Amino acid sequence: MSQSLQEMLREAAALIEAAETVTVVGHVRSDADAIGSVSALVLALRQLGKQASGLVGQPEPFSANLLSIPGSGEIRITDELPDADLIVTVDCGSIDRTGFFAEAIAERCSQTLVIDHHASNPGFGKVNLLVREAESTTTVLHELFKVLGVKVDREIAHCIYAGLVTDTGSFRWGRAEMHALASELMLTGIDTAAIAVDLMDSTDLRDLQMIGRVLAGVATHQVGDLTIATLTASNDLISGHSEAAVESLVDFVRALRGTDVGVVFKEMSPGTWAVSLRSTVIDVSRIAVALDGGGHVPAAGYTTYGGIGAVETELLQVLESVGAPDRA
Ligand code: AMP
Ligand code: MN
Ligand code: MN
């Protein structure tokens, strides 16, 4: 482990040790790493005798399948950031990913600890524990727990595993260390087969039919020497379907043979698109950042507005100017 990581861990631990009350914030449109991180940290802080609560700053509840993560039922969906000695954001690649709390956190950044693994994170806290090599934010927390002397019990192990298994696409990528960590977590007695079903295989028949309709519309586009595969999940196709099923669409174009970039345009409400980008060839975090989003080198996203034609053209233009010269 590098010295600077040890230093970041010690600084983060010092902030936590000095606080009695802590608010933990996960990102909007929460995934298993966000909810696993909030839950793991809240459980750990309570073990250390602190008053801790977990929040997500968006209007709608998070995906129902994430309620399988221990402690997640206690996470509040709210627009109010309560008073606390310390705010910790987890898995939030930028301040706007904290949703309703963005302004309040900007004002209280001297009381904020940022814990994350996104390549595009600018560091918006007093202390920023940013580990871009980490497979998930929950694995960064696992390192922090060692410094803080937190016992990784079965519940905390479940939370850490939830972020790890999903953010590695079921262990399809990542470093050797994460397999050792998975083994250590399994030895606490967590049921990894059940966790995989809860987090990744929770679609029903109607969802599967929706997936079929979206897949039927797969298209490819040529941008310079890049071939782009796109799926368009229009609002009329996805509305009323589980978030987990909609989020699973990207796996079909993540690395489609003969293509360089996979894209899913998800129309969350009429005219509002959450766009997912995946590539094993170019750095898609740069594409997402150019469109006011963010993410990792192989997986990134952004939000945009308008009709599908304009939304598609906007992306292809950015891919042409930002994507092609920098093949990773
Ligand atoms: P997704 O395609 O939604 O699974 O997201 C892939 C990665 O990009 C995740 O690590 C997200 O945190 C990040 N990401 C997605 N959408 C945005 C956004 N609107 N702004 C910043 N980062 C995003
Ligand atoms: Mn996440
Ligand atoms: Mn993550």
Side-chain angles (χ1 to χ4, degrees), residues 248-295:
S248 75
L249 288 166
V250 76
D251 284 322
F252 293 96
V253 288
R254 182 184 294 285
L256 193 62
R257 196 171 300 157
T259 70
D260 303 299
V261 182
V263 180
V264 184
F265 297 105
K266 295 169 283 189
E267 193 178 18
M268 308 313 285
S269 58
T272 298
W273 300 84
V275 185
S276 292
L277 306 173
R278 300 291 185 271
S279 183
T280 54
V281 179
I282 65 162
D283 174 359
V284 286
S285 75
R286 295 185 57 216
I287 310 292
V289 166
L291 288 157
D292 292 330

Side-chain angles (χ1 to χ4, degrees), residues 31 33 91 117-118 135-137 167 296:
D31 55 16
D33 193 27
D91 204 40
H117 68 131
H118 288 91
E135 285 75 12
S136 65
T137 297
D167 269 19
H296 310 278

